Amino acid sequence: MSRRIEHCRLEMQPASGADDWTPVTALTDVEWTGFVAAGCGVDQGRVIARPADASLPALDPNAPDRLWRLVDSAGASLFEFLGYVDDRRPRATGQIVLGISTTPQLLGAWSELQPATAD
């Protein structure tokens, strides 16, 4: 169940349990690869996107897992998950891959997303 959206904003929660979110960068050509069983009772996937700025410190692949969310242009949360920047996955030039560490919380505004095209 892969999903795509043309653009959204990536935000992160600076501290565990904090109520505030910090904008990281705008994203375009965003694809969520869907849920895949990870063998430990957790469904995993990844988000592949083209960030406006891929050199930001928040996108350091050596940073610990963080709580991320994708936000639409109206400020509504689309997708919230614990994950990490994955520099081991193949990707197109200029894209980032966010690995998902826990079963994500899918939030509102899914009407904006369309099924990914078949390869």
Side-chain angles (χ1 to χ4, degrees):
M1 181 175 78
S2 179
R3 301 280 182 159
R4 295 180 71 88
I5 189 167
E6 287 197 26
H7 55 81
C8 62
R9 186 174 67 241
L10 178 66
E11 297 182 345
M12 68 176 203
Q13 203 171 48
S16 181
D19 290 333
D20 58 332
W21 290 87
T22 301
V24 176
T25 186
L27 298 176
T28 55
D29 301 323
V30 183
E31 180 181 0
W32 166 59
T33 62
F35 295 125
V36 176
C40 55
V42 174
D43 293 331
Q44 295 183 332
R46 56 190 172 147
V47 172
I48 305 166
R50 188 170 306 280
D53 184 355
S55 66
L56 296 167
L59 299 177
D60 178 3
N62 295 314
D65 284 13
R66 295 182 170 152
L67 193 58
W68 303 94
R69 76 176 176 180
L70 304 180
V71 179
D72 69 12
S73 58
S77 293
L78 296 168
F79 190 23
E80 188 174 307
F81 60 94
L82 180 68
Y84 54 95
V85 178
D86 190 348
D87 63 347
R88 300 164 297 160
R89 301 276 186 170
R91 59 196 178 278
T93 302
Q95 289 185 325
I96 59 167
V97 175
L98 299 173
I100 297 171
S101 298
T102 60
T103 300
Q105 181 180 359
L106 302 177
L107 303 168
W110 282 101
S111 61
E112 295 186 28
L113 300 177
Q114 301 297 321
T117 56
D119 290 341

